[in-house]
């Protein structure tokens, strides 16, 4: 019988994505076999992250503080807005240095099969921000999978009547892929090759 | 693909069976209810990884047992592989060269059995959905991206259906657009295959039936747009009607395939034997296309081939089967005159199989 504290640790670790029971056990045994300060450093980092990180009030991306650094940076192009599915996508695009504008994080993609509809995403907020900030160009960078494409179509239709220019990043990426796993060079190409989407 | 040997444990009425095959023609002969079709079904499983007779696994496992095993070697493009299919009541596992097979779609896109079986023919005759499934399975091998497009279409349709059920008309647009783009990816390969088949069907049919009436397969796409734009227009027009019905009423999932012989159409006007011969012509045409388009030689599994066919047809069939270099398995309660002396024979008796001596 494992000590209760160890058992609890294993169960918590096993909740993490792509960690099964086996790896959870291995990680747990590793952690508790280390000198005390090491697991504690991890615990503190976790606590700090959980405490300090949240959603940016403006772009709904990941932020330390109520408004993220990107939203606060006056040097960024205030007329361009890139729409992504998840907060982590922002960092992938930032790493490619091809985009200097603002971001908007939807919090997912439209997927009726999984019960996710437009009202479950930050789409109304997007409309409001575009209007309030006077955005001139929206670049849709949702994932190149079916749901991402459907979301892109939905947004394009939404802004059809408005003077805002809407484009979709080109499919420089493997179909069915995930922005997160796309390297910077591929992403850069995709941004440069962006095209009018469903004109 | 060629299967030089097959082992069964607790499969259907077989307790244990070890059997060796040659590269070409085989006859499985025996009285009713002895296990001929069961053996053919096991061979079908070797390429399709599922049965054509039962969607459930339980009926495949010998009564009173909890798992069955199908072990076989197969030769593919000069490489010999070892495979095992393990059937449990709730799930199935496949091992290829002793490693678990992750994606069965990778496997079933490489191998194929052309099956002729009375039940399957009846289903093919009766249900458009069965005909679609039949051609879809073949196209998944013949056309590089067909399977992916089909899966994509099904996912789009499922999402769209969800919206239709909930009455969300305003949100259909994106999914109709995706569907409109996907439709030609299914319709064009289907039409291409039917065209190619039609160039071969007549030859086979006249060879088998000596009737001299043309045999044609007709492909009737539910939507046959010139391009995605036209498809979108049609889908958009239909959206309110689809909403009223609550499901996708329009699209390649409603396509139909029909057989015509001279002036006669389909199951209604074709006799049993005529339809049988027509279907066999279709199978042999498909077999030829597998060879020319992708150098695949499917297993030919012909269950109860000779019933309802007259002597002349059987003789002509023999002529054709002799020319093929597929591995072929034919079952029957006896072997017709025309086939005497040909191929390898096996006597099937109550879950045992005895290879006949080479010369009779
Ligand atoms: N899961 C099972 N366990 C045990 N026996 C089974 C199982 N499934 C089917 N059988 C039996 O296997 C026997 C042989 O069936 P099969 O369909 O192979 O006969 P056949 O030789 O093709 O006969 P026919 O000439 O009538 O077509 C049948 O009697 C059937 O009851
Ligand atoms: Mg039978
Ligand atoms: Zn922000």
């Amino acid at each position: 019988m494992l000590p209760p504290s160890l058992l609890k640790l294993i169960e918590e670790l096993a909740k993490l994505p792509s960690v099964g029971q086996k790896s959870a056990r291995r990680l747990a045994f590793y952690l508790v076999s280390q000198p005390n300060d090491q697991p504690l450093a991890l615990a503190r980092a976790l606590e700090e992250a959980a405490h300090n990180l949240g959603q940016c009030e403006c772009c709904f991306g990941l932020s330390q503080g109520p408004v993220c650094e990107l939203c606060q940076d006056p040097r960024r192009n205030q007329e361009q807005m890139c729409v992504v599915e998840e907060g982590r996508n922002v960092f992938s695009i930032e790493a490619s240095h091809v985009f200097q504008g603002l971001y908007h994080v939807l919090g997912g993609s439209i997927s009726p099969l999984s019960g996710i509809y437009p009202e479950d995403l930050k789409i109304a907020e997007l409309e409001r921000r575009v209007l309030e900030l006077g955005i001139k160009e929206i670049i849709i960078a949702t994932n190149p999978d079916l749901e991402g494409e459907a979301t892109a179509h939905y947004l394009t239709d939404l802004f059809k009547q408005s003077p805002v220019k809407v484009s979709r990043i080109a499919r420089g990426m493997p179909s069915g892929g995930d922005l997160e796993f796309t390297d910077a060079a591929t992403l850069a190409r995709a941004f440069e090759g962006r095209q009018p989407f469903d004109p | 693909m060629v299967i030089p040997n097959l082992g069964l444990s607790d499969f259907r009425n077989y307790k244990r069976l070890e059997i060796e095959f040659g590269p070409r023609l085989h006859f499985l002969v025996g009285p009713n209810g002895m296990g001929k079709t069961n053996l053919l079904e096991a061979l079908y499983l070797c390429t399709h990884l599922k049965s054509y007779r039962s969607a459930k696994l339980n009926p495949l496992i010998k009564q009173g047992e909890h798992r069955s095993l199908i072990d076989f070697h197969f030769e593919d493009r000069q490489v010999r592989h070892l495979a095992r299919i393990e059937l449990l009541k709730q799930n199935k596992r496949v091992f290829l060269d002793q490693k678990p097979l992750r994606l069965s779609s990778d496997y079933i896109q490489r191998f194929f059995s052309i099956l002729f079986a009375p039940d399957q023919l009846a289903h093919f005759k009766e249900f458009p959905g069965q005909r679609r499934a039949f051609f879809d399975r073949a196209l998944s091998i013949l056309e590089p991206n067909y399977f992916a497009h089909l899966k994509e279409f099904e996912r789009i349709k499922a999402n769209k259906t969800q919206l239709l059920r909930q009455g969300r008309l305003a949100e259909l647009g994106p999914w109709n657009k995706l569907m409109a783009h996907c439709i030609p990816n299914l319709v064009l390969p289907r039409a291409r295959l039917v065209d190619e088949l039609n160039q071969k069907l007549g030859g086979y049919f006249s060879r088998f039936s000596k009737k001299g009436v043309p045999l044609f397969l007709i492909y009737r796409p539910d939507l046959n747009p010139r391009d995605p734009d036209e498809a979108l227009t049609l889908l958009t027009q239909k959206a309110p009607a689809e909403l009223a019905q609550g499901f996708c009423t329009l699209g390649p999932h409603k396509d139909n395939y029909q057989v015509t012989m001279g002036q006669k159409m389909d199951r209604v006007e074709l006799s049993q034997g005529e339809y049988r011969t027509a279907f066999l012509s279709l199978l042999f045409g498909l077999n030829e296309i597998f060879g020319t388009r992708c150098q695949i030689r499917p297993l030919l599994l012909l269950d109860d081939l000779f019933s309802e066919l007259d002597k002349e047809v059987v003789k002509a069939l023999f002529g054709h089967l002799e020319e093929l270099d597929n591995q072929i398995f034919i079952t029957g309660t006896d072997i017709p005159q025309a086939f005497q002396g040909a191929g390898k024979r096996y006597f099937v008796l109550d879950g045992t199989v005895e290879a006949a001596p080479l010369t009779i």
Side-chain angles (χ1 to χ4, degrees):
Chain A
M1 188 60 196
L2 294 172
S5 299
L6 187 57
L7 214 68
K8 193 167 163 190
L9 180 57
I10 293 172
E11 290 308 313
E12 286 301 331
L13 286 168
K15 288 182 192 168
L16 300 174
S18 60
V19 177
Q21 273 293 330
K22 254 194 195 157
S23 343
R25 275 177 84 99
R26 206 173 44 240
L27 287 170
F29 277 116
Y30 170 79
L31 285 171
V32 297
S33 70
Q34 295 300 301
N36 237 340
D37 52 336
Q38 210 167 313
L40 283 180
L42 175 66
R44 269 194 302 276
L46 263 177
E47 197 176 349
E48 206 181 297
H51 247 266
N52 297 343
L53 294 178
Q55 217 171 42
C56 168
E57 286 170 5
C58 303
C59 69
F60 306 100
L62 207 58
S63 169
Q64 185 145 357
V67 177
C68 76
E69 280 183 30
L70 292 166
C71 286
Q72 290 185 53
D73 187 349
R75 289 165 304 175
R76 297 196 71 98
N77 184 334
Q78 305 290 315
E79 298 184 332
Q80 278 187 337
M81 183 172 277
C82 177
V83 181
V84 295
E85 291 182 18
E86 305 290 346
R88 57 174 196 267
N89 299 150
V90 170
F91 302 104
S92 309
I93 294 171
E94 278 303 287
S96 74
H97 299 291
V98 282
F99 179 68
Q100 309 300 331
L102 303 173
Y103 286 96
H104 186 85
V105 179
L106 294 172
S109 55
I110 297 175
S111 172
L113 257 190
S114 322
I116 302 170
Y117 300 98
E119 65 265 27
D120 302 312
L121 304 172
K122 303 282 184 219
I123 289 177
E125 288 82 350
L126 172 66
E127 285 187 274
R128 184 178 48 75
R129 280 185 83 204
V130 166
L131 216 66
E132 282 178 10
L133 299 173
I135 297 293
K136 300 240 161 52
E137 182 182 4
I138 296 173
I139 299 159
I140 304 173
T142 49
N143 282 329
D145 56 16
L146 270 185
E147 289 73 15
E149 291 291 306
T151 309
H153 280 301
Y154 184 87
L155 296 177
T156 310
D157 288 346
L158 198 63
F159 289 100
K160 201 161 246 167
Q161 307 304 330
S162 85
V164 184
K165 183 181 163 212
V166 179
S167 57
R168 168 95 171 106
I169 55 167
R171 274 194 180 237
M173 299 165 286
S175 169
D178 190 315
L179 261 182
E180 185 169 43
F181 303 114
T182 309
D183 61 275
T186 311
L187 259 171
R189 240 179 296 122
F191 259 82
E192 272 142 26
R194 72 170 185 271
Q195 283 168 352
F197 189 57
D198 187 28
Chain B
M1 184 199 232
V2 169
I3 298 180
N5 55 56
L6 175 78
L8 299 179
S9 314
D10 296 324
F11 180 81
R12 293 278 192 190
N13 68 329
Y14 292 95
K15 177 76 202 146
R16 275 213 60 73
L17 179 72
E18 295 279 345
I19 185 168
E20 301 202 338
F21 299 121
R24 302 256 342 270
L25 191 58
H26 305 78
F27 293 97
L28 311 171
V29 193
N32 294 140
M34 289 295 152
K36 302 181 297 293
T37 301
N38 293 346
L39 186 51
L40 219 61
E41 185 182 31
L43 287 162
Y44 183 91
L45 265 143
C46 295
T47 57
H48 282 60
L49 303 182
K50 62 176 186 188
S51 166
Y52 62 92
R53 292 206 288 183
S54 164
K56 290 199 191 113
L57 295 171
N58 199 22
L60 305 179
I61 302 169
K62 192 170 186 351
Q63 250 159 45
E65 302 297 334
H66 62 279
R67 75 161 187 176
S68 45
L69 294 175
I70 303 173
D71 288 298
F72 59 104
H73 279 98
F74 67 89
E75 275 154 26
D76 175 46
R77 289 150 225 246
Q78 259 116 61
V79 182
R80 198 180 170 103
H81 298 277
L82 174 68
R84 157 172 283 194
I85 304 170
E86 181 183 32
L87 306 168
L88 301 164
K89 305 224 169 197
Q90 299 303 330
N91 64 320
K92 143 192 96 187
R93 286 190 295 184
V94 181
F95 299 86
L96 184 55
D97 298 316
Q98 301 187 312
K99 290 184 296 254
L101 187 71
R102 285 280 170 79
L103 264 181
S104 54
S105 58
D106 287 348
Y107 184 90
I108 60 173
Q109 280 178 81
R110 284 167 57 199
F111 307 112
F112 197 72
S113 286
I114 287 186
L115 171 77
F116 176 85
D119 310 355
Q120 175 243 14
L121 174 64
H123 287 143
F124 185 91
K125 229 163 132 179
E126 207 61 39
F127 306 112
Q130 291 286 329
R131 296 195 283 278
R132 277 193 302 276
F134 175 85
F135 290 109
D136 279 346
R137 175 73 171 85
L139 282 163
S140 298
I141 297 182
L142 291 169
E143 298 264 349
N145 293 317
Y146 190 82
F147 185 75
H149 290 312
L150 191 65
K151 290 288 145 211
E152 185 178 272
F153 175 78
E154 279 164 7
R155 187 133 139 234
I156 295 168
K157 179 160 79 74
N159 275 298
K160 195 179 146 183
T161 306
Q162 203 58 34
L163 293 175
L164 289 170
R165 282 206 196 120
Q166 306 205 2
R168 290 171 173 258
L169 184 65
E171 289 162 36
L172 281 180
W175 299 98
N176 274 340
K177 266 181 209 155
L178 291 171
M179 195 179 257
H181 275 275
C182 196
I183 285 172
N185 296 334
L186 300 182
V187 172
L188 296 177
R190 287 176 182 182
R192 230 179 354 253
L193 177 59
V194 170
D195 277 346
E196 206 174 331
L197 274 167
N198 277 330
Q199 287 166 28
K200 322 223 174 262
L201 275 183
Y204 285 111
F205 191 64
S206 62
R207 179 170 181 181
F208 298 147
S209 77
K210 314 250 174 354
K211 283 229 174 77
V213 272
L215 176 72
F216 278 107
L217 186 63
I218 303 175
Y219 171 49
R220 299 191 193 284
D222 185 50
L223 274 181
N224 193 10
R226 273 186 307 272
D227 50 38
D229 285 347
E230 198 188 28
L232 182 60
T233 311
L234 293 166
L235 287 169
T236 311
Q237 279 168 4
K238 267 278 167 139
E242 286 190 312
L243 197 74
Q245 305 254 11
F247 60 93
C248 300
T249 58
L250 213 61
H253 58 296
K254 296 279 178 186
D255 286 1
N256 201 358
Y257 299 85
Q258 284 174 303
V259 177
T260 64
M261 215 183 83
Q263 301 296 312
K264 299 186 193 174
M265 274 297 268
D266 258 6
R267 61 187 172 90
V268 191
E269 295 167 56
L270 265 66
S271 80
Q272 302 269 42
E274 283 172 336
Y275 204 98
R276 235 168 202 254
T277 314
F279 187 59
L280 281 166
S281 307
L282 180 70
L283 295 182
F284 289 125
L286 196 60
N287 183 47
E288 202 185 319
I289 292 171
F290 267 101
T292 50
R293 270 216 223 168
C294 47
Q295 287 79 50
I296 286 182
R297 260 179 294 145
L299 297 184
L300 292 190
L301 307 176
L302 311 171
D303 194 18
D304 205 4
L305 178 64
F306 304 116
S307 56
E308 282 168 9
L309 296 179
D310 60 49
K311 270 210 193 72
E312 289 304 306
V313 177
V314 170
K315 214 159 129 190
L317 261 177
F318 175 69
H320 179 58
L321 289 172
E322 273 245 304
E323 288 164 16
L324 292 177
D325 50 7
N326 301 67
Q327 198 180 22
I328 306 172
F329 298 87
I330 303 177
T331 75
T333 46
D334 52 18
I335 304 171
Q337 200 60 41
F339 285 81
Q340 292 301 337
K344 287 187 138 207
R345 277 137 210 262
Y346 298 84
F347 295 109
V348 183
L349 263 181
D350 234 350
T352 65
V353 179
E354 190 84 40
L358 275 179
T359 47
I360 303 173

